[in-house]
């Protein structure tokens, strides 16, 4: 098999908002530098705003977040520019940011950075997804301590898995952005849900970074939601449930920090 390569890198400066694609980034012990650096907190409940519960947060994917300049290791995280659905823009350093966020979300919220305190988020299981347990219900989970992640620190998907889902569901628009990955790996000649074979293994990426693949990524309603010109499509999640037990991609923890960039090889001895 031809050596796999990093084909795309993504971070999401504000939890559950649209993110930014990069050519390179530093991998810290808590994921790509600047990833989920901020989150919107519901002051009434103390929970993290999350697109997993579109009943409460229906428009999260209409907000965009990007750093005003690239973050650098050992320097303070730079301000983030948030663009609202109506085109209005604010900075994370603006004094009235929480007032404006409260107005646009129509809920009393604040912009926050991760702390040492536990933070919970909610998710919704669609009623029409009868293939899984408890359709129509809302669940609560806890982010890893000191982060705004859902479960894993780094999220990887492959071109092989994207291609496989396109074969299974040709009527749907299967694009990587539906799945909000951090790293997309091009696996030439790879077939099927190839990440399933990686769980428990270590991937060495480029000259510095090593990731331990911890578990499959169980998918949720977020994969079905509209994003930009991508339409809402519940068949995406139904196909994943039917053909791969609800998993698409994998979560990883960071063993060795360092620079990661597009074109980096996934070293064969670890693959």
């Amino acid at each position: 098999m031809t050596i796999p390569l990093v084909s795309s890198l993504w971070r999401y400066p504000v939890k559950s908002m649209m993110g930014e694609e990069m050519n390179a980034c530093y991998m810290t012990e808590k994921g790509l530098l600047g990833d989920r650096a901020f989150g919107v907190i519901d002051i009434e409940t103390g929970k993290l705003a999350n697109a997993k519960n579109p009943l409460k947060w229906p428009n999260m994917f209409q907000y965009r977040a990007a750093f005003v300049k690239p973050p650098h290791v050992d320097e303070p995280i730079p301000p983030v520019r948030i663009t609202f659905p109506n085109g209005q823009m604010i900075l994370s350093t603006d004094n009235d940011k929480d007032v404006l966020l409260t107005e646009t979300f129509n809920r009393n919220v604040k912009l926050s950075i991760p702390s040492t305190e536990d933070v919970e988020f909610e998710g919704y299981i669609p009623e029409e997804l009868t293939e899984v347990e408890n359709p129509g219900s809302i669940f609560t989970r806890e982010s890893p301590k000191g982060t705004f992640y859902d479960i894993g620190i780094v999220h990887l998907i492959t071109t092989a898995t994207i291609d496989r889902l396109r074969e299974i569901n040709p009527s749907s628009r299967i694009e990587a952005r539906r799945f909000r990955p951090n790293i997309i790996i091009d696996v030439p000649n790879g077939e099927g849900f190839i990440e399933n074979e990686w769980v428990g293994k270590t991937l060495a990426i480029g000259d510095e970074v090593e990731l331990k693949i911890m578990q499959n990524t169980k998918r949720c309603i977020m994969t079905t939601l509209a994003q930009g010109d991508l339409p809402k499509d519940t068949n995406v999640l139904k196909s994943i449930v039917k053909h791969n037990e609800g998993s698409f991609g994998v979560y990883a923890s960071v063993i060795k920090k360092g620079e990661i960039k597009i074109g980096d090889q996934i070293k064969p001895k670890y693959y």
Side-chain angles (χ1 to χ4, degrees), residues 162-175:
I162 293 171
D163 290 343
R164 177 58 179 150
L165 193 58
R166 286 172 176 162
E167 293 173 2
I168 292 168
N169 197 353
S171 64
S172 294
R173 286 182 60 188
I174 307 299
E175 297 185 19

Side-chain angles (χ1 to χ4, degrees), residues 12 15 35-36 50 52 121 141 144 148-157 179-183 195-196 198-203 211-220 222-223 246-254:
Y12 309 88
K15 170 68 178 173
D35 192 34
R36 276 78 171 190
N50 195 312
K52 289 180 182 295
F121 60 89
R141 297 286 187 272
F148 286 148
Y149 295 109
D150 290 339
I151 298 175
I153 299 298
V154 183
H155 178 213
L156 303 90
I157 64 174
F179 308 98
R180 295 175 63 81
N182 294 121
I183 305 173
E195 299 97 323
N196 294 347
W198 296 358
V199 176
K201 298 180 180 179
T202 297
L203 299 184
L211 304 178
K212 178 65 175 287
I213 307 302
M214 306 302 295
Q215 66 182 79
N216 295 103
T217 305
K218 292 293 184 181
R219 308 315 310 205
C220 66
M222 291 175 71
T223 60
S247 294
F248 190 101
V250 286
Y251 284 127
S253 61
V254 180

Side-chain angles (χ1 to χ4, degrees), residues 11-18 20 32-41 48-49 60 65-69 71 76-82 91-94 97-98 101 110-115 119 146-149 180:
R11 68 174 162 223
Y12 309 88
V14 179
K15 170 68 178 173
S16 277
M17 293 185 184
M18 294 291 96
E20 53 187 5
L32 291 176
L33 183 63
D35 192 34
R36 276 78 171 190
F38 295 87
V40 175
I41 302 294
L48 182 62
M60 288 299 298
F67 288 105
V68 296
K69 63 178 183 179
I77 290 291
V80 165
R81 180 180 293 107
I82 299 173
L91 294 178
S92 57
T93 50
D94 290 345
K97 61 182 178 300
D98 293 339
L101 285 167
K110 64 179 181 180
L111 189 68
S112 178
I113 59 174
S115 70
V119 61
T147 78
F148 286 148
Y149 295 109
R180 295 175 63 81

Side-chain angles (χ1 to χ4, degrees), residues 56 69 72 74 131 190 193 218 228:
K56 183 178 288 186
K69 63 178 183 179
H72 293 286
D74 300 325
E131 294 87 349
F193 299 98
K218 292 293 184 181

Side-chain angles (χ1 to χ4, degrees), residues 17-205:
M17 293 185 184
M18 294 291 96
E20 53 187 5
E21 190 173 13
M22 306 168 293
N23 291 323
C25 189
Y26 191 84
M27 181 70 74
T28 76
E29 68 277 3
K30 290 188 176 179
L32 291 176
L33 183 63
D35 192 34
R36 276 78 171 190
F38 295 87
V40 175
I41 302 294
D42 185 339
I43 293 176
E44 179 183 350
T45 65
K47 290 183 170 65
L48 182 62
N50 195 312
K52 289 180 182 295
N53 186 4
L55 299 181
K56 183 178 288 186
W57 309 102
N59 301 316
M60 288 299 298
F61 284 169
Q62 295 180 32
Y63 294 79
R64 296 186 176 275
F67 288 105
V68 296
K69 63 178 183 179
H72 293 286
V73 180
D74 300 325
E75 293 183 6
I77 290 291
V80 165
R81 180 180 293 107
I82 299 173
T83 304
F84 293 175
N86 65 2
Q88 181 180 5
M89 291 185 290
I90 65 169
L91 294 178
S92 57
T93 50
D94 290 345
N95 292 329
D96 60 350
K97 61 182 178 300
D98 293 339
V99 172
L100 297 173
L101 285 167
T102 291
E103 290 176 355
T104 185
F105 281 111
N106 198 29
R107 296 187 68 88
N108 195 13
V109 300
K110 64 179 181 180
L111 189 68
S112 178
I113 59 174
S115 70
T116 57
E117 298 180 2
D118 296 335
V119 61
E120 295 181 334
F121 60 89
E122 295 175 332
Y124 172 67
I125 302 174
E127 291 183 3
E128 61 268 31
L129 196 66
T130 55
E131 294 87 349
V132 301
E133 294 182 1
N134 305 315
S137 65
I138 293 176
F139 62 85
T140 300
R141 297 286 187 272
E142 192 173 282
S143 293
K145 189 174 292 293
T147 78
F148 286 148
Y149 295 109
D150 290 339
I151 298 175
I153 299 298
V154 183
H155 178 213
L156 303 90
I157 64 174
T158 67
T159 53
T161 290
I162 293 171
D163 290 343
R164 177 58 179 150
L165 193 58
R166 286 172 176 162
E167 293 173 2
I168 292 168
N169 197 353
S171 64
S172 294
R173 286 182 60 188
I174 307 299
E175 297 185 19
R177 54 183 162 143
R178 278 201 184 275
F179 308 98
R180 295 175 63 81
N182 294 121
I183 305 173
I184 303 174
I185 298 176
D186 181 21
V187 186
N189 306 317
E191 296 182 357
F193 299 98
I194 195 168
E195 299 97 323
N196 294 347
E197 305 169 9
W198 296 358
V199 176
K201 298 180 180 179
T202 297
L203 299 184
I205 303 178

